[in-house]
Amino acid sequence: MNREFLHKITLLGCLFLLITSSSGTDNGFQTPEQYAQIVQEHFANEEWEAGKELLEEGLQKYPNVSDLEWLMGKYWFHEKNYDQSRYHLVKAIDDNYNNVNAKHLLVDVEDITENYSSAICYVNELLEVNPYWRGLWRRKIELYRKQNNDVEADRLLKRINQIYPNDTILRKDYIYSMEVGYQQMKKGGNRKEAIEKLTELIKVSPQNEEYYLDIINLHLQEGNREAALGWSSNGLAAIPGSGALIVKRASILSELARYPEALAFIREQMKRNNSPAIRRMYNDLLMEAARAEKQRDPYVLYGMAYEGGNKNKEALDYLLNTSVTRGYTNDALFYIREAKKQYGNNDKGILYKEYMLYRQMNEDDLAYSTLKKMYEMYPDDYDITLAMSAQHMKKAEKLMELGLYAEALPHVLFVSQKHIDNDVNGAAWEKALSCYINMKRYNEALATLDTITLHFPDYENGTLKRAFILDKMDKTEEALQLYLSAIEQSDEDMRIFYVIGYEELAVPYIKKCMEAGATKKAYEEAIKLVSLNPSSDLGLRYAINSSGLLGKYDEFEKYTAQGINYYPEEPFYQAKRATVLERDKRYEASLEFLKPILNKYPSNKEIIGAFSQSSEYRALQLTKAKEPEKALAVLDTALLYDSQNKSLKYTKGVVYEANRQADSAYYYQKYYEPSIMEYRSFQRHLSGLRSMMLKNEIALTYLRARYGEEDIITSVATAEYTRKGQKNSYTGRLNYAGRSGSASDSMEAEEQTPGGVGIQVQGEWTHHFSPKWSTTVNAAFATKYFPDITVDVAVRHYLKNDWEIGAHVGYRRVAAYTKRYEWNDEFFAGGTGDNGYLFTGWNESKTNLLTVGGELAKTIEVVRLNTKIDMHFFNSNFYYNAQIGAKYFPANDGKTNINAMASIGSAPETAVLDYALPGSFSHTNTMVGLGGQYMVSPNITIGLMGTWNTYYNQTNTVRGSSPLNPIESISTRYKNLYNIYAQVYISF
């Protein structure tokens, strides 16, 4: 036996060591999230090996969990073991395709290992989640460049720049890309392509002096000095006073030996820039001009000849052409007049030179007038028509900048109808489209768009423009359907752009539906938007709000979780998460969820509102659970953040009312702002609270009872005084009863008690131990009719959801009366009477009555239901009485009510005994009653109650003609007793 005992002890010891050793190696982490959180802390503190050790432990417990695999990939990335890192990161995505952190790190891994195609694929997956992330677009462009796919990189960069024209970073990238391109073309000797690229660059960045200098140099290298001069003029128009451009233009003019023009130009520019370098150049040019003058300028020689009278065609043509070319404005105007005299006013060549001269002089009106005259004379001339179109486009642009679209429209329509040049024609149609849209002539806009797409099949903005127009025509659904079709047919890059366009139309449309009350339609459109762009912030918000209004709580919870996934720090979704918890009546969980968020965003209205609402629900929940102190603590915390919230203050008043603190309840509930329909009821409720605030109360009660078959009146009057406190109430009560009864030899008397007066003095104490427990103790002493001694103790327990249970025990010493009969000595046999016994008085007996009972009550809004059972032990016998009752409170003042009750039992209800009313035991007693109370004012309440009792009655008699042979008999029958209670309560 000892050996078996030792063997058991040894086994238990081994088991204990095994348990303690296993628990010693347990880090206490129960979930993958706990492992992930601690590992990230290790990594953040550069404790990589400690983090890895813990991570391996977590992966043994929870293999293939996405976040843990991502962290292991992060560890190997830090160790520069990219194969291992890729392995774990791919496993992380296999477990959770939406693991954004893993995909970001995979992009870095594939970038470092030069697997650029894979890196681009992962970037595309990330863009599906968040198409607005411009950093990802730049990363994608960078990867294309590393892949030596500059064509795709440039194409993508240009498209992104068009979508986000105000993004300075993208603009810089775009400019840099074009700059690198033209530098490469220039180095490769592709000057024409470099000039085209520079032309685009100058359109994007017209203030860059270096671009003008480079394009001027490229034109000079091409031998096109006139183009170089033109760009120098353009540059100075964009950058007035540029020293480098002034020097450059003057140098070109000098090389062309156009010294007067160069000197005139520099003099004009020195008004803006009188730098030493320019003054020095001016002086140098003067010297060169002086030297050249020695060689005699042909222009001067021809001029002298023309002035001398040799006005032949050769001299005039030379002088005219040269003066126009050199910018000798006055000379040119003179020679034009001369030419018109010789060749007439309608010569096309002379008119064209006049037009060009006016353009050089910036005399736009004169230039246009001349050009218009030529166009009317030569409508089929290509150059004139092209120039006329350019003038119309220029006028249209100015008018459109001023918002004068109706005035601009004829100009662009003129150009669009000439079909001179595809580029010019396309630009004209685009401007016509813009005019129609801004003039809200949407049908013409659609027709114009049809024309553009017909003549320019590669027009990329057709879908965007058409959807925009349809939306403006209040055909938003058709516009959205157009986008959906385009999305289905587009490639990966264009799909994102179409989704962006879809969202820009869908969001205002959903908002419009919500405002119009078309919640179902708004919900359907929001769901479509979220399906296309799961990360759409506004789409998710509308999906959540509309699903909530439609009662689609599963969808509400689904999209709330989706919003938190994409925007974990956004207060709106945190507030909606709290609403989900509230809907499940998890108010405490909602508050715990919101507290750290509220600490982080203490001024955010959405979080404060959600916290206040959850606090209100939680406080009411605690109040129903009879925990008002906790409820007040919850509300006080909410009021710290939302001190002006009247609903919170009102709820605080409700809690105080439930805790019988009427003064505080009144103070806080008065903040409530009732509607017109609620006003009277609310004022009534405040009156009830004012009545509850009064600590003293006098109650006067008068009971009048009458038998149904006999005109016998029984009455009881009661006067009582109560002093009320929050936890204790003390009552002193005086009951008075008067009885009209037989005290003589009336043989016909039916009553069972003698006549006289009875007084009862009673004291009562009610104590609330807590919001859940209370007790009432009373004791009374009486002279007659009432129980000689009355002692009651009751205990009441307040349960959740307005249930109550109670138990009571009582003792009464009651008096019973029987009639006393004696022989009448004057009675003689053979007389006319047959009864020689006389009623001479009453025999009184004292009996102990012990009562034990229980009660159950439930309050349902304005109705209180209760049931009660009493068990009586009387003369060694057991009796019972069961009661039910209902009170309806129609006036919201806490006092005004309508009361109905009923009881049945082998004993009368306790009130019959307490009020010294007749009753009997061992036979069925029944009662029904109806009455009510009405609060006249906060100080006065009146009441009236009627009851109908049916009870068993017995009367003892003695008859006989001989003293030796008395005949005792008991007459029995059921009697009806009708009671009226009148009550007056005076509070002060």
Side-chain angles (χ1 to χ4, degrees):
M1 179 175 179
N2 291 334
R3 183 178 279 177
E4 290 179 1
F5 178 74
L6 290 172
H7 181 64
K8 291 178 179 179
I9 291 297
T10 303
L11 287 175
L12 287 172
C14 293
L15 181 61
F16 175 76
L17 289 173
L18 179 61
I19 292 172
T20 55
S21 63
S22 64
S23 64
T25 60
D26 187 2
N27 284 294
F29 303 139
Q30 303 298 322
T31 64
E33 290 78 9
Q34 291 176 323
Y35 276 102
Q37 179 182 353
I38 301 303
V39 168
Q40 288 186 75
E41 291 177 2
H42 280 305
F43 286 178
N45 295 327
E46 297 296 325
E47 299 168 354
W48 293 93
E49 295 304 322
K52 182 195 176 201
E53 182 179 348
L54 188 59
L55 196 54
E56 289 174 341
E57 178 184 318
L59 283 170
Q60 287 181 353
K61 287 185 178 182
Y62 307 104
N64 299 324
V65 171
S66 182
D67 282 346
L68 297 182
E69 293 289 357
W70 162 61
L71 287 170
M72 185 60 83
K74 185 175 182 179
Y75 168 81
W76 289 114
F77 184 84
H78 173 263
E79 296 295 319
K80 299 184 179 180
N81 189 334
Y82 302 117
D83 291 338
Q84 279 290 332
S85 178
R86 182 188 294 109
Y87 170 76
H88 287 284
L89 292 172
V90 170
K91 289 185 71 178
I93 295 174
D94 288 342
D95 180 61
N96 179 9
Y97 180 77
N98 293 320
N99 192 325
V100 174
N101 292 325
K103 290 182 179 179
H104 272 294
L105 199 53
L106 270 169
V107 173
D108 294 335
V109 169
E110 303 299 0
D111 188 357
I112 292 171
T113 57
E114 299 183 359
N115 294 318
Y116 302 122
S117 296
S118 297
I120 291 170
C121 289
Y122 288 122
V123 170
N124 288 338
E125 291 180 10
L126 289 169
L127 284 171
E128 289 177 4
V129 176
N130 193 341
Y132 301 102
W133 197 336
R134 300 172 194 178
L136 284 174
W137 287 107
R138 288 195 291 271
R139 185 69 182 272
K140 184 175 178 180
I141 292 167
E142 178 188 345
L143 290 168
Y144 274 132
R145 296 210 185 280
K146 289 183 178 180
Q147 204 179 32
N148 293 322
N149 191 349
D150 291 327
V151 174
E152 186 63 26
D154 290 340
R155 183 189 69 83
L156 189 57
L157 183 58
K158 182 177 181 180
R159 182 174 293 173
I160 291 295
N161 192 65
Q162 290 172 346
I163 291 180
Y164 299 107
N166 297 322
D167 190 311
T168 55
I169 296 176
L170 287 173
R171 186 181 180 85
K172 288 179 181 178
D173 289 348
Y174 181 50
I175 291 172
Y176 175 75
S177 171
M178 287 196 294
E179 190 171 331
V180 170
Y182 99 77
Q183 291 287 1
Q184 290 176 347
M185 294 170 187
K186 186 169 69 171
K187 289 179 181 178
N190 299 322
R191 287 193 292 268
K192 290 184 179 180
E193 294 180 5
I195 288 171
E196 291 176 2
K197 188 67 75 172
L198 268 173
T199 303
E200 290 184 25
L201 258 176
I202 290 172
K203 289 179 182 178
V204 176
S205 182
Q207 301 297 319
N208 192 310
E209 182 182 78
E210 183 182 348
Y211 297 159
Y212 289 105
L213 294 172
D214 279 358
I215 198 168
I216 290 168
N217 290 331
L218 287 169
H219 277 299
L220 291 174
Q221 292 170 17
E222 287 286 297
N224 192 347
R225 293 181 177 179
E226 291 302 324
L229 283 172
W231 278 109
S232 68
S233 296
N234 294 341
L236 285 168
I239 315 171
S242 168
L245 289 172
I246 293 171
V247 171
K248 196 69 176 177
R249 180 174 176 83
S251 299
I252 297 171
L253 291 171
S254 174
E255 290 175 5
L256 292 171
R258 291 159 60 175
Y259 298 107
E261 184 179 352
L263 291 170
F265 164 73
I266 292 181
R267 282 195 301 270
E268 184 66 25
Q269 294 297 324
M270 285 170 67
K271 296 176 182 178
R272 295 187 180 90
N273 186 347
N274 194 19
S275 67
I278 293 177
R279 287 198 303 271
R280 187 166 51 251
M281 184 174 191
Y282 180 74
N283 293 330
D284 292 342
L285 280 174
L286 282 173
M287 293 299 297
E288 290 184 24
R291 286 192 291 268
E293 186 63 22
K294 294 178 181 179
Q295 301 174 6
R296 308 296 301 206
D297 185 356
Y299 179 79
V300 175
L301 295 174
Y302 273 118
M304 293 172 63
Y306 192 83
E307 289 177 2
N310 191 359
K311 299 183 179 182
N312 58 26
K313 184 177 185 302
E314 176 187 352
L316 182 57
D317 288 346
Y318 180 84
L319 290 169
L320 177 57
N321 292 335
T322 304
S323 61
V324 171
T325 304
R326 294 183 179 183
Y328 299 163
T329 304
N330 293 329
D331 289 358
L333 289 172
F334 172 78
Y335 291 124
I336 285 174
R337 288 194 296 271
E338 292 293 309
K340 285 182 177 181
K341 291 176 183 178
Q342 289 194 27
Y343 309 126
N345 291 329
N346 297 329
D347 184 85
K348 181 166 64 173
I350 302 301
L351 288 173
Y352 195 81
K353 288 182 174 66
E354 184 178 17
Y355 160 69
M356 295 300 296
L357 178 62
Y358 284 139
R359 282 191 58 186
Q360 290 179 12
M361 296 168 63
N362 293 323
E363 294 287 349
D364 293 337
D365 291 337
L366 291 173
Y368 179 73
S369 177
T370 305
L371 183 62
K372 185 178 179 181
K373 182 178 179 180
M374 283 192 294
Y375 178 75
E376 290 171 353
M377 295 169 58
Y378 309 102
D380 297 328
D381 187 281
Y382 176 83
D383 291 330
I384 293 174
T385 303
L386 186 61
M388 191 68 177
S389 296
Q391 285 294 316
H392 277 289
M393 290 292 283
K394 188 175 182 180
K395 283 183 175 290
E397 288 173 0
K398 289 183 178 180
L399 290 168
M400 290 174 71
E401 288 175 1
L402 296 172
L404 302 173
Y405 298 101
E407 290 79 356
L409 183 61
H411 294 287
V412 294
L413 290 178
F414 172 88
V415 179
S416 65
Q417 293 165 4
K418 294 305 173 182
H419 307 292
I420 297 300
D421 178 86
N422 275 344
D423 292 338
V424 175
N425 201 41
W429 280 117
E430 281 235 45
K431 281 184 167 50
L433 177 62
S434 179
C435 288
Y436 283 129
I437 291 173
N438 284 282
M439 293 166 66
K440 299 183 180 180
R441 292 166 59 178
Y442 299 121
N443 289 323
E444 289 97 326
L446 281 177
T448 302
L449 185 59
D450 289 338
T451 301
I452 293 174
T453 54
L454 176 65
H455 291 92
F456 303 95
D458 295 332
Y459 183 62
E460 291 186 348
N461 295 327
T463 300
L464 302 174
K465 295 285 187 182
R466 190 176 299 278
F468 177 81
I469 295 169
L470 289 171
D471 179 57
K472 292 298 182 182
M473 296 174 71
D474 288 330
K475 297 181 179 180
T476 308
E477 290 189 58
E478 187 177 341
L480 294 174
Q481 189 59 46
L482 179 66
Y483 268 125
L484 288 175
S485 300
I487 290 169
E488 292 175 359
Q489 300 171 13
S490 62
D491 58 22
E492 180 183 325
D493 291 339
M494 285 305 298
R495 180 186 184 280
I496 294 173
F497 299 139
Y498 287 141
V499 169
I500 293 172
Y502 182 93
E503 182 167 4
E504 288 177 351
L505 291 188
V507 168
Y509 180 61
I510 296 169
K511 181 182 178 181
K512 182 178 178 181
C513 290
M514 292 288 285
E515 291 173 349
T519 309
K520 184 176 180 182
K521 184 63 179 176
Y523 169 76
E524 292 171 353
E525 293 300 330
I527 297 308
K528 289 180 185 177
L529 173 57
V530 172
S531 66
L532 291 173
N533 181 11
S535 65
S536 172
D537 183 23
L538 291 174
L540 286 168
R541 289 175 186 246
Y542 282 122
I544 291 168
N545 290 335
S546 58
S547 60
L549 291 172
L550 293 171
K552 297 178 179 291
Y553 301 125
D554 291 340
E555 299 299 306
F556 183 96
E557 185 171 357
K558 169 188 172 183
Y559 292 114
T560 298
Q562 188 170 330
I564 290 176
N565 182 48
Y566 285 110
Y567 308 100
E569 302 298 322
E570 176 56 44
F572 171 82
Y573 299 105
Q574 309 288 3
K576 295 304 178 183
R577 171 60 180 159
T579 302
V580 172
L581 295 172
E582 287 172 9
R583 193 163 284 129
D584 295 334
K585 297 186 178 180
R586 297 169 58 194
Y587 308 126
E588 186 175 10
S590 175
L591 290 175
E592 292 301 318
F593 171 74
L594 288 171
K595 280 179 183 177
I597 303 168
L598 187 59
N599 291 332
K600 189 173 183 180
Y601 304 104
S603 300
N604 185 276
K605 291 183 179 180
E606 288 179 332
I607 296 300
I608 290 173
F611 189 78
S612 296
Q613 182 169 297
S614 293
S615 298
E616 189 172 331
Y617 291 152
R618 177 58 176 160
L620 293 173
Q621 186 182 57
L622 289 168
T623 302
K624 283 186 174 291
K626 308 303 176 185
E627 296 183 11
E629 299 298 332
K630 290 183 179 179
L632 290 172
V634 169
L635 291 170
D636 286 338
T637 302
L639 284 167
L640 289 175
Y641 298 96
D642 199 1
S643 60
Q644 302 304 314
N645 190 313
K646 293 183 179 181
S647 181
L648 283 176
K649 292 179 180 179
Y650 174 76
T651 303
K652 191 172 182 180
V654 172
V655 177
Y656 274 124
E657 182 180 356
N659 202 31
R660 299 175 307 284
Q661 294 176 262
D663 51 352
S664 297
Y666 179 82
Y667 174 79
Y668 284 103
Q669 289 191 36
K670 70 182 181 182
Y671 286 102
Y672 182 67
E673 296 178 352
S675 65
I676 295 176
M677 299 296 292
E678 297 174 314
Y679 183 78
R680 291 184 63 185
S681 176
F682 178 68
Q683 291 300 318
R684 187 80 183 172
H685 185 71
L686 290 182
S687 296
L689 290 176
R690 287 199 297 272
S691 180
M692 289 174 61
M693 292 165 59
L694 302 173
K695 303 297 184 184
N696 302 287
E697 183 177 85
I698 293 175
L700 302 174
T701 304
Y702 176 71
L703 164 63
R704 185 178 181 88
R706 183 185 184 281
Y707 293 98
E709 302 84 355
E710 300 164 347
D711 191 13
I712 299 175
I713 305 299
T714 301
S715 301
V716 176
T718 301
E720 67 178 59
Y721 166 76
T722 301
R723 173 67 179 179
K724 295 181 289 186
Q726 184 182 351
K727 289 188 175 293
N728 295 288
S729 295
Y730 304 94
T731 301
R733 187 177 295 114
L734 180 65
N735 292 315
Y736 167 79
R739 295 284 185 269
S740 55
S742 298
S744 63
D745 57 356
S746 174
M747 299 300 292
E748 288 78 20
E750 290 290 338
E751 62 271 13
Q752 275 294 92
T753 59
V757 174
I759 295 175
Q760 183 187 53
V761 178
Q762 187 175 44
E764 184 174 288
W765 170 55
T766 299
H767 177 70
H768 290 270
F769 297 98
S770 70
K772 294 184 178 181
W773 290 95
S774 70
T775 185
T776 300
V777 179
N778 69 57
F781 300 92
T783 60
K784 196 174 184 179
Y785 302 130
F786 302 99
D788 292 349
I789 300 173
T790 300
V791 179
D792 286 302
V793 178
V795 177
R796 187 172 294 273
H797 183 40
Y798 305 91
L799 302 171
K800 294 180 179 179
N801 300 319
D802 299 318
W803 283 93
E804 300 175 24
I805 59 174
H808 55 271
V809 60
Y811 167 77
R812 287 163 179 76
R813 184 167 177 77
V814 297
Y817 296 91
T818 59
K819 293 179 178 179
R820 184 174 66 248
Y821 292 88
E822 295 181 1
W823 175 254
N824 184 1
D825 291 333
E826 296 178 0
F827 181 82
F828 59 94
T832 58
D834 60 355
N835 183 15
Y837 287 92
L838 297 175
F839 168 55
T840 60
W842 301 89
N843 294 321
E844 181 181 16
S845 60
K846 304 291 184 180
T847 308
N848 295 321
L849 174 65
L850 182 64
T851 302
V852 177
E855 183 178 358
L856 177 66
K858 167 68 174 175
T859 300
I860 306 173
E861 295 185 355
V862 295
V863 177
R864 174 182 168 82
L865 306 174
N866 73 294
T867 181
K868 177 182 177 183
I869 186 166
D870 289 326
M871 294 171 287
H872 303 286
F873 299 91
F874 181 66
N875 288 335
S876 301
N877 292 314
F878 166 75
Y879 305 96
Y880 78 93
N881 182 272
Q883 300 178 35
I884 58 171
K887 275 188 179 182
Y888 168 58
F889 295 86
N892 198 28
D893 56 24
K895 289 193 173 183
T896 301
N897 67 81
I898 299 171
N899 187 12
M901 63 185 73
S903 72
I904 188 172
S906 58
E909 68 271 17
T910 307
V912 170
L913 302 175
D914 289 341
Y915 279 105
L917 296 175
S920 61
F921 289 81
S922 80
H923 289 76
T924 301
N925 291 261
T926 61
M927 181 275 291
V928 292
L930 180 66
Q933 293 180 333
Y934 177 73
M935 189 184 77
V936 180
S937 72
N939 301 92
I940 298 176
T941 301
I942 59 175
L944 188 66
M945 168 72 73
T947 62
W948 169 20
N949 293 75
T950 299
Y951 67 95
Y952 178 80
N953 183 60
Q954 60 184 23
T955 305
N956 66 306
T957 58
V958 177
R959 303 180 67 86
S961 57
S962 170
L964 300 176
N965 189 22
I967 301 172
E968 295 186 12
S969 64
I970 298 176
S971 64
T972 61
R973 65 172 175 166
Y974 279 95
K975 300 183 72 173
N976 292 320
L977 181 65
Y978 300 97
N979 305 313
I980 297 293
Y981 298 80
Q983 304 151 333
V984 177
Y985 298 91
I986 303 170
S987 302
F988 56 95

